[in-house]
Amino acid sequence: MTRAFTLLSLLVASIWLLFLAERHSLSSTPHRQFGPVIRHGSGKAANWAGYVAATDLSVPLKHSVTDVQGTWRVPTVVSSGTLNTASAIWVGIDGSSDRTVEQIGTEQDWTSGAPVYYVWFEMYPARGFMLTAFPIQPGDEISAEVQFIAKNKFVLSISNLTQNVGFSITRKRAAQRTSAEWIVEAPFFRRILSLADFGTMTFSGCTATIAGVEGSINSNLWQNEGLTMENPSSSTILAQPSALTGGGTGFTVDWKHN
C-alpha cells in the first residue's frame, strides 16, 4: 500500500509539473550552454568529466543509441575563491563525436557569494531551458533519462526522488545518436566558465541502450571512455572521474580546481 501510494503521488506530481511546464515554468538558462565535448588529448577534455559509451569510439555507429539513464545526488556547492562559478551534471545522447547534444540534468553554481541550484534540459545547439517550478536542494536524489522513441523524437525525463516530483518533455530533432554520456560539465558563455566547487558527486544506476541492447557503461558489447576535465593551457586538472564501480554502473567525480 505504501509503495503504491508513493508511486501514485509521484505520478500526480509529475503530471502537474508537466502541466505547468507547458505554461510558465520554462525559462532560458542564464547566459550559458551545455555543449559537445572539447577534447585535447587521450582521455582529456576542457569542459567534460565523466564517461562516454559508443559502439566504437573512433567510428561510432550512427543511430545506435536509443536510451541513457543515471542517478545522482545534488552536491553542495561552496566558494572556491572565485566570485562566479558554474557546474552541470547530466545524462545525454550525442556530443562525443558530433555537434548536437540531447541532455537533461541539474545545475550547481556559486553566484555572487551564494549557491544556486536548478534543473534544466537542452537540445544543443538550440537554447536550454530551466525548469523554474521544479524543486531542488543539495542532497536530493535525482534520476534522469534521455530516450529516443521514433521519428526523430526524444523524451527527456527527470525525477527528484527525494521530493517525489518528476518532469518529462518530448522534443523533435534529427540527430546522429552515436554516443551515450554521464557528465559533469563546466558550461560555457563566450568561454568555458570557471568550474564550481561541488566537492565529490556520485553517479549510480548508469545504463545505456546501444544497438538494441541495454547494458552498463562498461558493457563488453561497446566501448567506453573516461574523461578528465583539464585546462588545456595550464594542464591543471579541474575534475577527475574515478574508475567504474557497481558492476560498471557507477563512478564518482571529484572537483579539483576552477
Side-chain angles (χ1 to χ4, degrees):
M1 176 65 74
T2 301
R3 177 176 173 78
F5 179 78
T6 300
L7 292 174
L8 179 60
S9 299
L10 179 58
L11 177 61
V12 170
S14 299
I15 293 172
W16 175 242
L17 190 56
L18 182 57
F19 173 80
L20 289 177
E22 295 302 321
R23 284 163 166 72
H24 304 296
S25 70
L26 299 183
S27 65
S28 295
T29 51
H31 306 298
R32 67 199 57 196
Q33 282 188 304
F34 314 94
V37 67
I38 303 172
R39 286 188 173 85
H40 59 94
S42 177
K44 299 177 182 179
N47 60 332
W48 285 13
Y51 278 84
V52 173
T55 55
D56 186 310
L57 292 168
S58 299
V59 188
L61 180 65
K62 292 182 179 180
H63 308 133
S64 59
V65 181
T66 53
D67 188 84
V68 58
Q69 51 190 301
T71 299
W72 64 93
R73 288 195 180 274
V74 178
T76 298
V77 168
V78 298
S79 172
S80 61
T82 299
L83 181 62
N84 296 311
T85 57
S87 68
I89 302 170
W90 55 268
V91 300
I93 296 175
D94 289 322
S96 176
S97 59
D98 47 48
R99 301 303 297 174
T100 68
V101 197
E102 301 80 46
Q103 54 196 156
I104 191 165
T106 62
E107 178 92 357
Q108 302 80 207
D109 300 340
W110 186 266
T111 303
S112 300
V116 177
Y117 304 91
Y118 60 86
V119 171
W120 58 274
F121 69 88
E122 185 181 81
M123 302 287 280
Y124 181 89
R127 62 177 177 160
F129 292 92
M130 296 172 59
L131 307 183
T132 57
F134 197 106
I136 177 176
Q137 295 180 5
D140 286 352
E141 186 177 14
I142 302 295
S143 179
E145 180 178 16
V146 176
Q147 182 182 27
F148 174 79
I149 48 176
K151 298 181 180 179
N152 293 332
K153 289 183 179 179
F154 290 84
V155 178
L156 298 93
S157 306
I158 193 164
S159 297
N160 186 326
L161 303 179
T162 302
Q163 301 198 38
N164 290 331
V165 175
F167 169 85
S168 182
I169 196 164
T170 301
R171 284 288 189 263
K172 188 173 183 180
R173 78 114 54 98
Q176 296 295 313
R177 294 191 286 112
T178 55
S179 59
E181 293 93 23
W182 304 263
I183 298 297
V184 175
E185 179 174 355
F188 67 89
F189 174 63
R190 297 178 181 169
R191 61 174 179 82
I192 298 174
L193 301 177
S194 296
L195 184 65
D197 183 353
F198 55 83
T200 297
M201 65 79 54
T202 302
F203 273 108
S204 62
C206 298
T207 63
T209 301
I210 303 177
V213 178
E214 182 179 2
S216 59
I217 297 173
N218 65 348
S219 169
N220 59 12
L221 299 177
W222 50 73
Q223 297 179 354
N224 75 84
E225 178 184 21
L227 291 172
T228 295
M229 192 187 306
E230 182 183 279
N231 185 313
S233 299
S234 64
S235 297
T236 301
I237 294 178
L238 307 180
Q240 179 77 59
S242 70
L244 292 170
T245 59
T249 64
F251 61 95
T252 62
V253 179
D254 291 331
W255 180 89
K256 299 292 187 180
H257 202 277
N258 60 16

